[in-house]
Each structure stands twice: as C-alpha cells, then as structure tokens.
Amino acid sequence: MSLCQSIDTLAMAYLDDELVAEERRELELHLLDCAACKKHVDAERADLGLVRKALVAPPAPDLLKARIARALDLEEREHARAMRRTWLQWILPGSATIAAAAAIVMFVFVRPQAATTSAGSVAQEAVRQQSRSMPMEVQGASTGPWLREHFRPVEPPRFTEPGITLIGARLTSVAGHEAALLKYVVSVGDNQFTLTAVLIDGIRDGQLSGGQAIKVGERTLHVHDANGIPAITYVDSQGMGYTFAAERLSPQELLELVVSSDLIGRAQQGR
Amino acid sequence: MLAAKEKRAEFERQALVHTDALYGAAYRLTRNARDAEDLVQDSLLRAYRFWDSFEQDSNCKAWLLRIVTNTFINEYQRKKRSREVLDAATAEQDATDGVLVQASASDRQSPERVLLERSVSDDVQRALDNLPDDFRTAVVLCDVQGLSYKEIAEIMQTPVGTVMSRLFRGRKLLAAALREFALAEGYVREEPTKHTEGDQKTIDLEAYRANRKEGQR
C-alpha cells in the first residue's frame, strides 16, 4: 500500500515520535522521493510548533505552593488525630492495669506549649542516641536476660498493648553515664515506627528534669522537646533514668504510650 | 502520625516536584488561573490521601495527571456548571433588587480579580475554550505534558486510536483558531494553511500497521 494514502496518520505519529524505527526509516526514505508528502509533513510540523508554543503554561505561583504545603499539614494533623483515637481504643479495653493506665491518660494532657520547652543536655544526648543507626548487640527475646547480665539488674519496660515489640538493645553512654538503648517496634495497622528507651544509670535529682512536669500517681514524668523530637524522661528511686523518644509521635501520643507501660505500675510497687 | 514524616518526605520528593507541570495542565484545562490553583490543590491533596496506592516504580507524573484529569472532568466541570447557574441567579437577583446591585457586584468583582481574569483570558485560552473537552484534554496531555499516546490512552481510558483522532482534530482546531486570532490582531500577514481541515480524515495507525503487514506477505 502507498505511504501517501496514510500520510495524515504517519505524519502525526512521526512528529510525535511514536513510529517504531522501521516505520520511521521507511517514511523518511519516502519523504526524500515524494514532494507532496514532504510538504505535508512540513506543514504539520509548523502547526504542531504553533500549538506547542502557544500552550506553554506559566509555572505554579509560589502562593499556591505554600497553600498546598499548608493543606498537607492539615491533612497530616487530621490523620494523626484519627490515629490517636485508635490508640485510645486499644488502651480502653483489657486488664485492670490497662484500665488504670487509661484512667490516667484521660486526665493527663500535654499542654500544647510544652513541646516548645527544650530538653536538658542529658535528655538531649539520650535522644540523639536514638537517631544514630548503630547495630543492636542483642535481638529479640533474649534482650531481657542480656540486659541484666551486661547492664544492670533491671527489667526492660514492657507495653501491654499488642503491636509493641522489644526488638533489641545495645550498650552506650550518655553524658558519661553508662546507658542501655532499647529499641521497640510499634505497629498500627500497616504502619510501623520505632520507639526507643534509653536507660541511664546513676542519674542525680534534677538531671533529667525540665520540660513540662506531669504527675502520674506519685511519679513525675517530664515531657520535653529534643530538637523537634518529643521525649519523656523519668527517674526511678534507684537513680535509673529513662528517656523515651519516638520521632513519629506527638508529645501527647508518646505520653499515652509511656503511661500505659508497666513502668508506672512497677514504680508504684517499688516504693 | 506514624510514618507521617516519611510519607510526607517521599510525597514531596516524588509528587510535589511536578507541581509546576500539574499547574500547567490545570491552567490549560480550566483556562483560568483561579480554577487551576484549586484544581491542583484538590488533586495533590487527593494524591496524598491515596499515596499508599501509588505503585512506587510507575510513572508518578502520569499518575498525578490522571488524578488532575479525573478531578477536572468529575468535579470541576460539575462545580462550574452549578456556579454558572448560581451566577445567573445572582445576576437576576441583582437586576430585580436595585439597592443591592452596587454592593454585590463589587463583592464579586474586586479590581484584582478583574485584572487577573483579563490577563489570563488571552488568545490561547479563548482558542481552547472552543475545543470539546475530550479534544482539549488529549492536546493538553500530549502537547503541554509530553505524554505518549499510550499514557494518554490509560488516563482517558480510551483506545490509542481514539486518542490519536482526538489529538489530531484538537490540534487542527486549535491551530486554525490561533491563526485566526493572530490574523485578526495583525501578527501574521497571510494565512499559510493550504492543507485542508482534518474533520473528514481518518487517523488510524493500527489500520496502517495491519495493512503494511499484509502488504509484506
């Protein structure tokens, strides 16, 4: 069949670079011989150039980009609020301790401005430890015994909710104190994130204070902002300091988690 | 809240880099800066909500353009129609309610808005106004965004052949309109189109390929 008959189709596909190599070669050879088709392709090329040039659009205004960023922020906040409701749904049913923890959660709320209060240097350093991707020295179920053998005779904090798993630990030091970093994985739906607890030995009164002090029973938790990462500190009667941090949580969400750990119950029994 | 920071960072890296391109498409689809901004914002928000369903190794820009196109077709067009009805009703109200005419007219037409609308209603937008939606969409996706026939076919959910004929006719109409405007305003001295308009022409690459194969036997 003649290429001339299909020149409309061919010219278009040719100029849009949609012909396969062989078809293109065939057409290009034909254009060398056929003045009419050559003229047609040139005219089409001119039309296409006119259209494409006319259609060049302005870039998005900066104000629009700012508006989009703000809309995404709102969307994120809305999503976080929905997730928080999920947390509470977990905590509410269950054993007596969980119910007790839930009762505490109901009355303990972080003031919004608390997040702007900077953490002290020891807490800051403890939180920095969590973002360093160092290998764990022990993993999984043997973490508890390992901790007692290599660090101090303490139990790793446990969370009674499903989906919060201790995955490992390593020794470290924080501001000259011996310390152990425990890593937990928290799963909510399809999402997973890391929660770390840094246990710091030999903490004196006030060394982990600061931020917003929150009384839970007889114990005082401190809610800090460590360079944008919410952190909660607590010192037990033996001078063992605990720093909890989770990059993906709001201070309130982290507080809810910490309060629901067995740490609080243990601390109250330990008196 | 959980993977929120990661999700946001990933979205910014893969999707928000196309904001200018999306705006370009939206601007030509809606022919109006204000509507284009709303369309882009709606579409990106929607994309963010459905980010989990985006297949990571596919073409993100094409995926986003599909959302822009669908949002435009489904929501914007409907909104626009209802707004036109509303505007007509308001105009009627104004006409019958003499006292309020002045106030409400100035409400709706701030000087900035008038200026904005005037500046974007250029020849190109006027030419695009006269195209059927399907033609305009095909032309915008190909000639503003540089998508392939196949990608456009997927977005518009039509066969490649349909895309080609919409594109062909859309371009013809557009080129003719642009020349007309240019001629009217004295940008060009004479009309260089000698080839006939494409309404009766058949654009069919598949038929060509089938015939060609046949011929080779």
Side-chain angles (χ1 to χ4, degrees):
Chain A
M1 71 168 285
S2 151
L3 290 171
C4 298
Q5 284 169 359
S6 301
I7 195 61
D8 283 308
T9 302
L10 287 174
M12 176 176 168
Y14 175 64
L15 294 172
D16 283 329
D17 202 17
E18 294 267 352
L19 291 182
V20 298
E22 201 189 333
E23 292 166 338
R24 193 171 61 236
R25 217 166 29 240
E26 205 172 64
L27 178 68
E28 281 170 350
L29 278 174
H30 174 73
L31 293 181
L32 293 176
D33 290 338
C34 177
C37 284
K38 170 87 167 60
K39 203 171 159 195
H40 182 90
V41 169
D42 288 343
E44 291 293 312
R45 185 182 284 119
D47 267 10
L48 191 60
L50 181 73
V51 167
R52 289 199 171 157
K53 198 173 155 217
L55 288 181
V56 170
D62 287 340
L63 219 58
L64 171 63
K65 292 178 181 172
R67 249 172 65 193
I68 290 167
R70 215 162 42 228
L72 292 178
D73 286 346
L74 279 176
E75 178 71 17
E76 261 176 33
R77 222 168 297 156
E78 188 52 44
H79 184 68
R81 211 169 295 141
M83 293 301 267
R84 193 150 54 229
R85 282 195 290 275
T86 316
W87 283 116
L88 284 172
Q89 276 161 8
W90 278 7
I91 295 168
L92 284 173
S95 70
T97 33
I98 305 174
I104 298 167
V105 171
M106 297 308 205
F107 298 107
V108 175
F109 284 98
V110 179
R111 289 194 309 272
Q113 72 270 26
T116 59
T117 316
S118 289
S121 64
V122 179
Q124 286 274 10
E125 196 183 326
V127 173
R128 257 200 307 279
Q129 294 281 345
Q130 75 145 12
S131 38
R132 287 166 57 193
S133 56
M134 300 274 284
M136 296 287 112
E137 290 173 57
V138 60
Q139 297 190 346
S142 44
T143 303
W146 180 89
L147 196 67
R148 286 189 289 278
E149 191 182 329
H150 293 91
F151 182 57
R152 296 287 180 275
V154 290
E155 284 293 323
R158 302 234 172 254
F159 300 87
T160 32
E161 289 79 25
I164 305 180
T165 318
L166 177 61
I167 58 160
R170 68 176 156 86
L171 296 180
T172 180
S173 88
V174 173
H177 300 263
E178 284 184 54
L181 181 142
L182 310 183
K183 198 167 172 183
Y184 298 80
V185 163
V186 183
S187 312
V188 179
D190 292 339
N191 293 307
Q192 287 202 329
F193 68 99
T194 309
L195 168 77
T196 54
V198 180
L199 278 53
I200 314 164
D201 195 32
I203 290 294
R204 293 184 311 276
D205 264 357
Q207 252 184 316
L208 281 178
S209 306
Q212 183 188 351
I214 287 175
K215 292 280 267 185
V216 181
E218 298 291 310
R219 301 283 147 181
T220 306
L221 301 177
H222 294 271
V223 183
H224 312 261
D225 173 6
N227 292 323
I229 300 170
I232 291 180
T233 55
Y234 161 73
V235 183
D236 74 10
S237 49
Q238 274 81 48
M240 181 66 71
Y242 295 80
T243 303
F244 295 89
E247 221 172 311
R248 312 267 182 264
L249 292 182
S250 72
Q252 178 67 42
E253 287 158 347
L254 182 62
L255 180 67
E256 285 168 12
L257 253 189
V258 172
V259 165
S260 74
S261 77
D262 65 350
L263 190 70
I264 301 303
R266 198 160 70 205
Q268 285 169 338
Q269 282 158 17
R271 282 190 306 127
Chain B
M1 69 179 168
L2 315 173
K5 274 187 190 169
E6 250 164 53
K7 178 183 170 186
R8 178 71 178 268
E10 213 32 42
F11 188 75
E12 282 174 6
R13 197 176 63 75
Q14 290 195 61
L16 289 189
V17 294
H18 298 299
T19 305
D20 283 333
L22 299 181
Y23 180 75
Y27 184 76
R28 292 308 184 197
L29 285 172
T30 62
R31 285 99 66 210
N32 170 318
R34 232 180 344 136
D35 291 333
E37 290 193 19
D38 289 348
L39 177 57
V40 170
Q41 187 177 334
D42 284 357
S43 304
L44 279 171
L45 203 56
R46 196 165 299 202
Y48 188 63
R49 283 179 193 143
F50 291 103
W51 186 237
D52 293 340
S53 69
F54 169 66
E55 288 164 31
Q56 285 300 323
D57 41 0
S58 56
N59 182 345
C60 189
K61 189 176 157 192
W63 182 73
L64 292 168
L65 282 168
R66 180 200 306 244
I67 297 175
V68 169
T69 309
N70 287 342
T71 309
F72 172 69
I73 293 167
N74 297 334
E75 312 229 331
Y76 171 77
Q77 292 291 68
R78 196 167 41 223
K79 217 164 27 185
K80 188 184 164 204
R81 271 196 294 277
S82 63
R83 200 176 54 205
E84 278 164 1
V85 172
L86 202 70
D87 281 354
T90 317
E92 208 174 283
Q93 178 68 27
D94 291 349
T96 49
D97 194 344
V99 187
L100 290 175
V101 169
Q102 217 85 33
S104 62
S106 61
D107 272 355
R108 276 178 294 122
Q109 300 280 40
S110 69
E112 295 92 323
R113 183 171 293 178
V114 171
L115 199 67
L116 186 73
E117 278 172 354
R118 194 171 297 153
S119 67
V120 297
S121 63
D122 54 16
D123 289 350
V124 182
Q125 304 295 60
R126 266 194 292 156
L128 279 167
D129 276 342
N130 296 325
L131 285 191
D133 281 345
D134 285 343
F135 290 15
R136 188 189 316 116
T137 305
V139 172
V140 166
L141 292 178
C142 188
D143 292 331
V144 180
Q145 300 298 335
L147 296 191
S148 69
Y149 295 166
K150 190 164 163 280
E151 286 169 324
I152 300 170
E154 276 163 18
I155 289 175
M156 299 186 75
Q157 296 183 317
T158 51
V160 167
T162 311
V163 169
M164 286 186 72
S165 58
R166 283 175 184 172
L167 201 49
F168 184 80
R169 298 192 206 308
R171 282 171 174 166
K172 286 283 167 236
L173 289 170
L174 203 54
L178 289 170
R179 276 218 190 77
E180 204 176 293
F181 289 132
L183 206 67
E185 288 168 31
Y187 296 144
V188 291
R189 252 172 259 132
E190 58 185 287
E191 200 167 358
T193 29
K194 275 181 218 92
H195 48 282
T196 50
E197 289 315 327
D199 285 29
Q200 277 74 45
K201 289 182 179 167
T202 320
I203 296 300
D204 196 339
L205 193 56
E206 265 179 56
Y208 169 77
R209 282 176 176 157
N211 283 335
R212 186 170 169 276
K213 230 176 180 174
E214 194 86 348
Q216 280 173 345
R217 260 187 223 148

